[in-house]
Amino acid sequence: EAGVVQSPRYKIIEKKQPVAFWCNPISGHNTLYWYRQNLGQGPELLIRYENEEAVDDSQLPKDRFSAERLKGVDSTLKIQPAELGDSAVYLCASSLRQGHHSPLHFGNGTRLTVT
Amino acid sequence: EDQVTQSPEALRLQEGESSSLNCSYTVSGLRGLFWYRQDPGKGPEFLFTLYSAGEEKEKERLKATLTKKESFLHITAPKPEDSATYLCAVQGTGDGQNFVFGPGTRLSVLP
């Protein structure tokens, strides 16, 4: 089966510019996550979707970050405007169903550099 | 609040030198403890899930064990290709049942 696909793999932008990341989860996986991983740290949850509903966005900086998952499949994460501190790897993950002992399956991430 | 710590932060082994990585956790009811391997420039790759104290899982040179407060990832006779960062995560029964990750242990196996 195809894994979680993310694009782009790398993105370099100047501060105050907008940026968007795209994720296609594993087919049939209802739950989709966006994580941010800083260098030398573990992933930190930004937002979790159950189908097309954002069920946990408590850690998403809503003043500049937004996400959507139209039709409950692909998802897009946007930052506008980007700040220097947003430089990190943005990981997308999916699982069959939250709360059913289903592990997360990750994509290879988008490495964002804000200059 | 669910928390995960891992030690050591980095570990350097000679090929064939067995060792263990530690994952300590606090969680309001454990739904599962997960081990992942992450290679540079890649996303974390799922290794094991452990559900209850006393449980063990094995895969090639890796064996994961679980107690009520910690998990160990034992690496027997490691090879250079085992070099990676190993992440531990817990999923609790509270807090939206979200996965909380530790900072990882960076393992280097020298030939």
Side-chain angles (χ1 to χ4, degrees):
Chain A
E1 83 185 348
V4 176
V5 179
Q6 291 187 246
S7 68
R9 289 282 285 123
Y10 305 93
K11 192 73 177 180
I12 301 174
I13 61 171
E14 294 183 346
K15 62 182 180 182
K16 301 184 181 180
Q17 294 301 305
V19 64
F21 315 124
W22 175 82
C23 173
N24 181 248
I26 293 173
S27 177
H29 281 196
N30 298 321
T31 309
L32 183 146
Y33 310 74
W34 283 102
Y35 281 84
R36 178 167 57 189
Q37 186 174 28
N38 291 306
L39 190 64
Q41 298 181 21
E44 296 177 328
L45 180 69
L46 291 173
I47 188 168
R48 171 168 63 92
Y49 282 92
E50 296 287 345
N51 298 304
E52 65 274 9
E53 182 183 359
V55 296
D56 187 348
D57 62 356
S58 58
Q59 302 304 311
L60 190 72
K62 299 181 185 63
D63 57 335
R64 298 183 299 106
F65 285 65
S66 65
E68 61 182 12
R69 190 183 184 197
L70 301 176
K71 301 182 180 179
V73 181
D74 295 3
S75 178
T76 303
L77 178 69
K78 298 178 182 178
I79 308 175
Q80 182 171 13
E83 297 179 352
L84 295 176
D86 296 331
S87 296
V89 175
Y90 291 82
L91 293 164
C92 178
S94 68
S95 67
L96 275 173
R97 286 177 67 184
Q98 178 77 349
H100 282 73
H101 304 295
S102 178
L104 304 183
H105 297 271
F106 285 88
N108 283 327
T110 297
R111 179 177 297 277
L112 174 67
T113 302
V114 182
T115 63
Chain B
E1 182 181 332
D2 300 344
Q3 291 188 334
V4 178
T5 59
Q6 292 187 245
S7 62
E9 183 176 322
L11 181 62
R12 181 173 290 191
L13 300 174
Q14 289 295 133
E15 184 172 2
E17 179 186 3
S18 301
S19 188
S20 297
L21 313 182
N22 175 265
C23 169
S24 295
Y25 65 91
T26 55
V27 65
S28 54
L30 181 68
R31 180 170 287 278
L33 184 140
F34 303 80
W35 280 98
Y36 286 82
R37 168 190 172 129
Q38 187 172 27
D39 293 298
K42 299 286 185 67
E45 176 188 350
F46 171 68
L47 293 173
F48 304 109
T49 307
L50 301 167
Y51 298 109
S52 58
E55 189 176 0
E56 298 183 353
K57 293 275 181 73
E58 285 190 66
K59 180 179 180 179
E60 296 181 355
R61 295 176 293 281
L62 301 177
K63 183 170 80 171
T65 62
L66 180 65
T67 72
K68 289 187 178 179
K69 295 183 178 181
E70 56 190 354
S71 176
F72 291 93
L73 185 65
H74 306 278
I75 304 176
T76 302
K79 298 181 177 181
E81 53 262 44
D82 294 322
S83 297
T85 295
Y86 291 86
L87 295 165
C88 170
V90 295
Q91 184 187 27
T93 55
D95 197 23
Q97 300 177 26
N98 286 323
F99 292 75
V100 176
F101 283 82
T105 292
R106 193 169 60 256
L107 174 67
S108 300
V109 182
L110 307 177

